[in-house]
Amino acid sequence: MLDSVIAYCGPAAVPGDIWTRWNFDPLLIATLAALAFVVVRGRSSNARAGWCAIILSLVVFVSPLCALSSALFSARVLHHVILIAAVAPLLALAFPQRHAGRIPLAMLVAVHAIILWLWHAPGPYAWALATVPGYWLMQLSLLGSGWLMWRAILSPHTQAGPALVALAVTIGQMGLLGALIVFATAPLYPVHFAGALAWGFSPLTDQQLAGLLMWVPAMLPYLAMGLWLAWTSLRPAETVK
């Protein structure tokens, strides 16, 4: 194992030990078990979405991806993308917004963008990985702001137009952040330097791969939801014809 300041997921995984690096944190397991209990008791609006969110949470927090994200910045970005672009919308389907929201959708989009950019700035990012409270503040703020934004987008009280604008703005700001990371001329995240080398990447290559993940694949769930919203908004007009 490599020395690392990663506080929660442990030392950076190396190729020889990656498949032994499962995370069985009792508090995490208890939290996911409580969420599963809520779904089993029928207290979610969409049990299938709830179970999918739980399974993906196991992938990002329990599976060796957690230890790999200690080694590679690209793995950490993949972890974050799964959290905000998959787990968050699934939780929004499982626990939807039943009434008109008190917080404007535009504000939710802006807050989520600020949180995303904040935690991927080198200074706050390094601080978040240095302590367990910092790590969970990063994870919960990303997931929580994403969940609130997705709930508002998917709410029946939100018209298709504002929802599509929210998705487009989110795609744009994530793409810009990804592009800035891709085209940075120097590696910005020293905590992953040794881990990248252990996996055969230069720190800059690992960083560029992370930026590409945020720039292109991360947009796909937002684009798919936008196309679905646009399609469903056009269906009544087609029926009239």
Side-chain angles (χ1 to χ4, degrees), residues 135-151:
Y135 175 87
W136 281 111
L137 178 61
M138 175 172 67
Q139 303 304 313
L140 293 177
S141 60
L142 285 169
L143 179 59
S145 63
W147 173 60
L148 291 173
M149 184 187 74
W150 277 106
R151 286 178 86 219

Side-chain angles (χ1 to χ4, degrees), residues 205-232:
T205 300
D206 177 40
Q207 182 174 295
Q208 290 168 338
L209 177 58
L212 284 173
L213 286 171
M214 186 173 291
W215 192 358
V216 183
M219 296 182 185
L220 297 179
Y222 301 89
L223 181 60
M225 180 56 66
L227 292 173
W228 181 80
L229 288 173
W231 170 253
T232 54

Side-chain angles (χ1 to χ4, degrees), residues 71 187-198 201-204 207:
L188 303 173
Y189 305 91
V191 68
H192 294 294
F193 285 5
L197 294 172
F201 296 100
S202 71
L204 187 58
Q207 182 174 295

